[in-house]
Amino acid sequence: MNRPGSLKWRWRRFCAMPWREVAYRGWQWAMAKEVRRRILEETLPAPLTEVVAGADTVVGRLPGRAEGLTVSAEYMEEIMAAGDEVCAHRAELFGRTVVLGEEVDWYRDYLHGECYPRVAWWEIDYRREDGGVDVMAVWWLNRHQHLMPAAIAYYVTGNEGYAEEVLKQLESWLTACEYPYGPGWLTGIEVGVRLVTWSWLYRFLFGRGRPRCCHDTMLFAWFRAIRQHVRYIMTHWARYSSANNHVIAEAAGVLSAMATWPVLFGGKREWGRAMKILEREVRRQVSGDGVDLEQST
């Protein structure tokens, strides 16, 4: 069997492409430099205060502010214990508890002790089997879902220590993995999942109002990265993949960002396109009995 990414594999993949896919991928190749330039030049369309004031911080049916939220003592203990694990830089990775170290290495496969180099995403060959790095382990950490327990702990307790840890790790990622660097930019599904995670982290962190430890420099970098994420997806839709479940994550990420930070995104055109893609792909990829056709989560 030809290894994915080899010349023979690429040739066979090319021969199997319909002409529409050839045209689409040719357009992506021709526009790559211009697209990268526009992503790098992203900035905020409004002052920080307006973006924060216009953001949606509602959590489910709960009010925007969390003061007075009633949580049982037993559940509170579980929430705080999970949040403390985040603050201790411990995370569960595919059934194993790993220690992330004093500074989280967002390029590191903590299961196998190997790292990717800090290079642009298009220079990373994540299909290589001889590098010793499991890209799934790196991707998982770059999704930031391990930060959610600390954000929830802050939401229900108001303990600034939890918010400070979440924001510290986010700022670390924004510095180490600023576009276009790192495996977190390799595929649109990772960018989309991270946007969904960020929207929930923001809601739990800002449901009590802006945390005292959140400074303007970090917030500006975060909002700018959110716009970069959305532009990346809108210019790299995962069209023509096998099951195309990636495009569901991409559309969900765009919609999550636009719903949470509407001031960052003024155009209804992008919202409509993402919603159309999501509705179409859900109909295509879910069977009549409600089971995902790929039979995965």
Side-chain angles (χ1 to χ4, degrees):
M1 181 180 294
N2 298 320
R3 181 176 62 84
S6 67
L7 288 177
K8 186 174 289 186
W9 178 88
R10 291 178 184 276
W11 173 250
R12 291 187 175 181
R13 178 70 180 86
F14 174 78
C15 293
M17 290 181 185
W19 71 267
R20 290 180 182 274
E21 181 177 0
V22 173
Y24 176 68
R25 298 197 182 280
W27 175 86
Q28 283 188 313
W29 178 82
M31 295 296 294
K33 287 187 178 180
E34 176 65 15
V35 166
R36 292 167 189 167
R37 182 187 66 80
R38 291 184 180 182
I39 295 175
L40 284 169
E41 292 178 354
E42 275 289 359
T43 188
L44 305 193
L48 285 177
T49 52
E50 292 184 21
V51 179
V52 173
D56 186 351
T57 56
V58 173
V59 177
R61 295 179 178 271
L62 298 175
R65 293 188 175 273
E67 288 85 347
L69 182 66
T70 302
V71 179
S72 69
E74 182 179 3
Y75 188 38
M76 179 69 78
E77 185 177 348
E78 292 181 11
I79 290 173
M80 293 179 65
D84 291 342
E85 285 290 286
V86 178
C87 294
H89 287 200
R90 289 190 293 268
E92 186 172 328
L93 185 60
F94 296 106
R96 285 175 51 186
T97 299
V98 298
V99 179
L100 303 177
E102 185 175 348
E103 293 290 334
V104 180
D105 186 346
W106 303 102
Y107 294 78
R108 184 178 181 83
D109 169 7
Y110 279 90
L111 294 180
H112 302 94
E114 301 292 337
C115 300
Y116 283 111
R118 188 181 188 275
V119 295
W121 64 265
W122 57 82
E123 297 179 34
I124 299 175
D125 183 4
Y126 68 96
R127 295 186 176 93
R128 286 184 59 183
E129 299 174 350
D130 58 346
V133 185
D134 181 356
V135 72
M136 288 302 300
V138 183
W139 276 342
W140 180 90
L141 195 64
N142 279 258
R143 293 174 180 180
H144 299 158
Q145 292 172 345
H146 70 288
L147 298 176
M148 199 65 70
I152 295 172
Y154 171 70
Y155 184 78
V156 299
T157 67
N159 184 334
E160 283 276 331
Y162 293 122
E164 186 174 359
E165 181 59 38
V166 174
L167 292 168
K168 180 181 177 182
Q169 290 199 35
L170 283 175
E171 187 172 21
S172 167
W173 188 91
L174 291 168
T175 300
C177 304
E178 182 181 17
Y179 180 86
Y181 295 103
W185 295 97
L186 274 167
T187 70
I189 188 173
E190 296 304 314
V191 177
V193 170
R194 192 161 48 248
L195 278 177
V196 174
T197 307
W198 282 1
S199 69
W200 281 105
L201 287 175
Y202 187 90
R203 289 168 186 265
F204 283 120
L205 290 174
F206 283 72
R208 289 178 167 271
R210 180 173 171 174
R212 293 193 302 272
C213 57
C214 183
H215 55 82
D216 285 355
T217 302
M218 184 274 166
L219 201 56
F220 180 89
W222 194 10
F223 288 157
R224 178 173 177 265
I226 290 165
R227 282 182 57 89
Q228 288 179 316
H229 276 56
V230 170
R231 184 179 286 275
Y232 178 96
I233 290 174
M234 299 297 287
T235 53
H236 294 80
W237 288 106
R239 299 172 65 180
Y240 304 108
S241 64
S242 54
N244 218 17
N245 60 334
H246 284 209
V247 80
I248 289 181
E250 293 168 352
V254 169
L255 294 172
S256 295
M258 291 184 171
T260 304
W261 302 282
V263 176
L264 288 179
F265 308 99
K268 295 182 179 179
R269 179 181 177 184
E270 290 82 1
W271 173 276
R273 184 181 181 188
M275 183 63 74
K276 182 179 180 180
I277 289 173
L278 183 64
E279 292 174 345
R280 181 190 67 211
E281 294 302 327
V282 166
R283 287 194 298 268
R284 285 179 176 179
Q285 299 185 44
V286 179
S287 64
D289 60 2
V291 177
D292 177 46
L293 293 178
E294 196 187 32
Q295 297 186 3
S296 74
T297 55

